Amino acid sequence: MKSQTFNSFDQAKIYYKEWDFKPSQKTLIVLHRGHEHSDRMTEFATDERFSNYNIFSFDLRGHGYTKEPVSPVFMDYIRDMDAFVNFLNTEYEIKTEDIFIVANSITGVIVSAWVHDFAPPIAGMALVAPAFDIKLYVPFAKEFIALGTKLNKNLSVKSYVKAKVLTHDKTQQDLYNSDPLITKAIHGEMLVNYLDGSKRIVEDAEAINVPTILFSAEKDYVARNSTQKKFFIKLESTHKEFVELKDFYHGILFEKDRTIVYDHIKRFIEESFALTAPQASLSSDKFSKDEFHTISLKMISLPERLNFAFQKWSMSKIGFVSNGMRIGQVYGFDSGLSLDYVYKNQPAGKFGFGKLMDKSYLNAIGWRGIRIRKQHLLHQIETQIKRLQEENRPIKILDIAGGTGNYLFDIKKKYPEAEIVVNDFKKSNIEAGEKELAEKGIDKMRFTNYNCFDPETYKKIDFTPNITIISGIFELFENNKLVSNAISGVASVSEPNSAVIYTGQPWHPQLKMIAYVLNSHQEKDWVMRRRSQRELDNVFKFNNVTKQNMLIDDFGIFTVSTGIINK
C-alpha cells in the first residue's frame, strides 16, 4: 500500500491510497462514508476477492489525512471525484472505462452526482447504503440548521450516530470508537447544501445509465431506505440490482456478515466489466423529451397554470420598470442583448422600486448560473488559446451562435492577434455587435448572419477555425439531428486537432416558469429541452468530438466542456 496526495481542481492537496497497482489490471475506487477515512477501507481493499484489481481510495476534505478543510459547497466534492479520476487517467494511465467504484453512505451520493453531472463512462458503481436522505429526527432540523448558517457561516453540528447503530460487530464498534481520525462534527452549510444536492440527483436519476448495484440496510438508522428505492427505480441503467440486507445496520461493509456483500460486489463488478460499452448515437433521453413535450403542450396542473399566468400578466403590466425585464420582453429573454444585460449585472429601473425589481430579477438562480457559465467559457477559451500558442498556431475562433459577441470582445482585447468570426441568426444582435466593432475600431473580427443548423452555413462563413464555441443554443431545439448538423458542419471546416467548447444544461429548477412566463427571441414561449450530460457528450462523440474536460456551476445547472475534433 502506498499513500500520497493529488492536486484537486482548486489545487487542494487530497490524500489518497493505492493498493497493489499493476498496469494490466482493472481498477476499483473504494470510498469511505462520512466522518471516516480511507484507512477504514483497508480490509475491503486487501480482501482476496479483489486481489486482481488495482484499488484506490482518498480522504474527503476535512477527513482523515486530508488537511484541506471541509468545503460548504457540495459540488466541490463532486469536482474532487472528477479530479481524482483525471489524476488516475494521467498519472497511472488508467482509462475511465476500466474503473468501477464502490462508495459508502455520503460518498455514494457524491459518486451518483458525479455520474449524473459529468457523465464519465465508468464500468459501473456499487452504492452501499447511499445517504440520499438523512434521518435528522428533530422536526425541521434542516430548516433550523439553514437559518443558523445565515447567522454563523461556520456553524457545526455534532453527529448523533453511535457505533452501535452502524454495525452489530463488537470488534468493529470498538475500532470505530477508538479511531482518532474519525470526526463527529458536521459543517452546517455543507449539510444543507448536500441535502439539496441529494434531492436533485434522486429526482433526476433517469439521467444515469451506468451499471449500478445498490445495497440497502434493513435497519438503517442513518439513511432512509425509501429514498434509496426511489432513486433505484428511476435509474435508466439496463443493468441494475437492488439488494436489501436483512437486519443490517448502516455501516454495511463493517457488519458481521459483510462477506455476503463482498460476494455480491465481486460478482457485479465482473458482470459490469463484461458488458459491451454502448456506441455513440443520436438517441435522446426519453425522460427529457417527455418533459419537453409536457411543458410545450402545457400539460400542467390548474394551480400551476394560474400561478404562471398571473406572473406573466404581472410582468406585462409592471415589468417595464425593470430594465432587464423590459429588454427581455422586447428582444427575448434568451437574446444576445438580454444576456449582455445579465452579464453586466448592474440593476437599473424606473421609479426607485424598478431598480429593486431588477436586482431581484438579476439574482434569479438561472441568471447567476449564466454569469458563472461566462466565466467558465472564458477559462476554457483561454486554456485552448494557450495550447495554440505553445504549438505556434494562429488563434482562429468561431462562435456559431454568438449573439452580440459579448465575451469575445474580452478575448479580443486580451489577444488582439486572434481572428474571430461571430455568427448569429438574429440581426438585432449582429447590429449591436457591429456597432461595438466600429466604435472600438477592432479588426480581424467580423459577424455573419446564417442558420447554424444548416451544414452549408460553414462553407459560406469561409473560415477555418481551431477553436469553435457552441454556447446556449442547443437547449432551444429538441431535435438531436439538428444539433448533429451543427457539430458536423463545424468539424467539416475546422483544422485538425481543433477544440470545440460547448455548453450544456443537464438540469434546471425553473424550466416551467421560464417556458410560461418568459418569451424567447423566436417570438414564442421559451421552452427548453435540457439534455443530460451523457446525451450531449454522446451526440458530440457521434460526430468524432472527444470530450477532454468539463466545468460546472455550484448549482448543477450549466456545464462548459472542451472536446477535441478527431480528423
Side-chain angles (χ1 to χ4, degrees):
M1 180 185 72
K2 296 180 182 178
S3 58
Q4 47 199 311
T5 62
F6 74 94
N7 291 336
S8 193
F9 70 97
D10 57 354
Q11 300 308 303
K13 292 191 178 300
I14 307 294
Y15 176 87
Y16 80 94
K17 287 182 177 299
E18 162 209 324
W19 285 271
D20 194 29
F21 172 72
K22 293 185 181 69
S24 59
Q25 297 182 143
K26 303 289 188 184
T27 296
L28 307 184
I29 298 176
V30 187
L31 301 173
H32 65 81
R33 61 176 292 273
H35 309 293
E36 302 188 9
H37 52 91
S38 56
D39 275 0
R40 297 267 298 161
M41 306 313 302
T42 299
E43 180 186 305
F44 181 94
T46 56
D47 188 273
E48 183 63 27
R49 294 169 182 81
F50 311 111
S51 60
N52 293 325
Y53 298 99
N54 304 316
I55 300 185
F56 293 87
S57 186
F58 66 88
D59 291 354
L60 299 182
R61 293 167 185 252
H63 292 70
Y65 293 103
T66 292
K67 291 183 170 54
E68 186 70 21
V70 169
S71 169
V73 179
F74 176 56
M75 187 60 75
D76 283 348
Y77 299 88
I78 302 169
R79 294 179 180 119
D80 285 341
M81 185 71 230
D82 191 62
F84 186 56
V85 171
N86 289 337
F87 170 75
L88 296 184
N89 294 158
T90 304
E91 189 71 16
Y92 292 87
E93 297 184 347
I94 295 171
K95 296 178 181 179
T96 304
E97 54 265 36
D98 288 337
I99 294 174
F100 187 98
I101 301 177
V102 180
N104 291 268
S105 192
I106 72 164
T107 58
V109 180
I110 291 169
V111 170
S112 299
W114 174 61
V115 170
H116 176 282
D117 292 344
F118 285 78
I122 58 171
M125 58 183 179
L127 305 179
V128 185
F132 292 112
D133 192 0
I134 296 173
K135 296 179 178 179
L136 296 176
Y137 292 104
V138 178
F140 305 108
K142 180 193 169 189
E143 288 73 18
F144 282 124
I145 294 171
L147 178 61
T149 61
K150 301 296 182 186
L151 305 173
N152 178 9
K153 282 285 185 183
N154 295 314
L155 176 70
S156 179
V157 294
K158 189 174 181 180
S159 171
Y160 62 85
V161 178
K162 307 291 184 184
K164 63 183 181 181
V165 297
L166 291 174
T167 175
H168 293 85
D169 189 316
K170 297 295 184 183
T171 301
Q172 289 296 329
Q173 289 179 18
D174 291 341
L175 287 171
Y176 183 90
N177 290 329
S178 62
D179 192 330
L181 290 178
I182 288 177
T183 173
K184 295 297 181 71
I186 305 172
H187 192 287
E189 191 174 354
M190 188 275 175
L191 177 61
V192 172
N193 202 265
Y194 164 81
L195 291 172
D196 289 340
S198 297
K199 182 180 178 183
R200 171 175 71 90
I201 298 306
V202 171
E203 290 179 350
D204 210 45
E206 288 160 303
I208 298 174
N209 76 341
V210 304
T212 303
I213 184 169
L214 193 155
F215 295 94
S216 184
E218 183 191 37
K219 296 182 178 179
D220 196 324
Y221 295 102
V222 178
R224 283 191 171 82
N225 307 75
S226 58
T227 310
Q228 294 168 354
K229 292 173 182 177
K230 179 181 177 182
F231 171 83
F232 178 80
I233 290 168
K234 278 178 162 277
L235 282 175
E236 280 291 293
S237 311
T238 55
H239 186 54
K240 64 180 183 178
E241 190 173 334
F242 189 93
V243 180
E244 188 165 27
L245 299 162
K246 186 175 175 57
D247 293 328
F248 270 59
Y249 287 162
H250 182 70
I252 289 173
L253 293 186
F254 302 95
E255 270 286 25
K256 282 185 175 181
D257 296 327
R258 54 189 173 275
T259 56
I260 296 171
V261 180
Y262 287 14
D263 288 336
H264 276 299
I265 293 175
K266 178 179 184 294
R267 170 186 55 77
F268 195 83
I269 289 171
E270 291 171 352
E271 291 172 358
S272 298
F273 278 125
L275 294 172
T276 302
Q279 295 296 306
S281 71
L282 298 182
S283 61
S284 304
D285 291 324
K286 183 180 182 301
F287 78 92
S288 174
K289 293 200 75 169
D290 288 348
E291 176 185 73
F292 171 81
H293 291 308
T294 297
I295 293 174
S296 60
L297 295 174
K298 296 181 170 60
M299 296 296 290
I300 58 173
S301 66
L302 180 60
E304 284 183 306
R305 283 173 181 264
L306 294 175
N307 177 31
F308 294 131
F310 177 73
Q311 289 185 53
K312 194 173 185 73
W313 176 83
S314 299
M315 183 176 287
S316 71
K317 297 302 179 184
I318 63 171
F320 71 93
V321 304
S322 156
N323 282 11
M325 291 184 188
R326 179 179 55 79
I327 291 171
Q329 287 175 318
V330 174
Y331 298 102
F333 286 88
D334 60 338
S335 68
L337 292 172
S338 176
L339 292 182
D340 283 352
Y341 188 81
V342 169
Y343 289 148
K344 289 174 184 174
N345 195 26
Q346 296 174 351
K350 299 178 179 180
F351 315 125
F353 70 90
K355 185 175 181 179
L356 292 176
M357 282 181 58
D358 206 50
K359 183 176 181 179
S360 177
Y361 167 76
L362 290 171
N363 201 42
I365 188 171
W367 291 143
R368 281 184 282 155
I370 284 286
R371 288 191 287 273
I372 296 170
R373 185 181 73 178
K374 177 184 175 180
Q375 295 169 12
H376 287 167
L377 273 165
L378 288 170
H379 175 85
Q380 296 284 46
I381 293 167
E382 292 205 60
T383 298
Q384 291 308 309
I385 286 175
K386 288 173 184 175
R387 180 175 75 96
L388 291 173
Q389 290 174 330
E390 290 170 0
E391 297 172 358
N392 294 314
R393 296 166 65 186
I395 304 166
K396 297 191 291 183
I397 302 173
L398 167 66
D399 192 321
I400 72 167
T404 63
N406 181 284
Y407 51 86
L408 289 171
F409 283 103
D410 298 334
I411 291 294
K412 187 65 178 175
K413 184 177 180 180
K414 191 169 183 179
Y415 305 94
E417 73 277 19
E419 187 176 355
I420 300 175
V421 175
V422 183
N423 182 69
D424 200 78
F425 188 70
K426 200 165 182 65
K427 287 189 176 181
S428 58
N429 289 334
I430 293 172
E431 289 167 359
E434 288 181 334
K435 181 182 177 184
E436 187 166 353
L437 277 181
E439 289 174 351
K440 295 181 177 179
I442 296 172
D443 63 355
K444 296 177 70 175
M445 181 173 179
R446 60 188 170 93
F447 284 79
T448 58
N449 181 211
Y450 297 115
N451 178 359
C452 69
F453 295 108
D454 181 357
E456 295 301 311
T457 283
Y458 300 92
K459 297 175 185 176
K460 296 173 185 175
I461 288 175
D462 191 26
F463 188 57
T464 308
N466 46 34
I467 299 175
T468 296
I469 301 158
I470 305 175
S471 176
I473 184 68
F474 287 168
E475 55 263 40
L476 303 178
F477 300 87
E478 67 93 18
N479 191 324
N480 277 350
K481 179 60 176 155
L482 280 178
V483 170
S484 182
N485 286 345
I487 300 170
S488 62
V490 167
S492 69
V493 298
S494 295
E495 292 181 358
N497 196 30
S498 291
V500 179
I501 297 169
Y502 59 97
T503 67
Q505 185 178 280
W507 176 80
H508 201 300
Q510 297 178 315
L511 286 178
K512 290 181 181 178
M513 185 280 290
I514 291 169
Y516 300 134
V517 179
L518 310 181
N519 56 286
S520 79
H521 73 282
Q522 300 177 73
E523 300 178 356
K524 61 181 182 180
D525 291 345
W526 185 2
V527 182
M528 293 183 285
R529 212 274 276 181
R530 65 185 179 101
R531 289 171 174 82
S532 69
Q533 195 62 40
R534 179 195 73 218
E535 180 187 344
L536 185 62
D537 292 345
N538 198 37
V539 175
F540 275 89
K541 187 178 179 182
F542 180 81
N543 286 282
N544 298 312
V545 178
T546 304
K547 180 176 166 184
Q548 302 294 303
N549 60 68
M550 193 192 92
L551 301 174
I552 186 170
D553 58 60
D554 293 345
F555 319 118
I557 299 175
F558 297 110
T559 64
V560 183
S561 304
T562 296
I564 298 297
I565 298 173
N566 305 309
K567 60 183 293 189

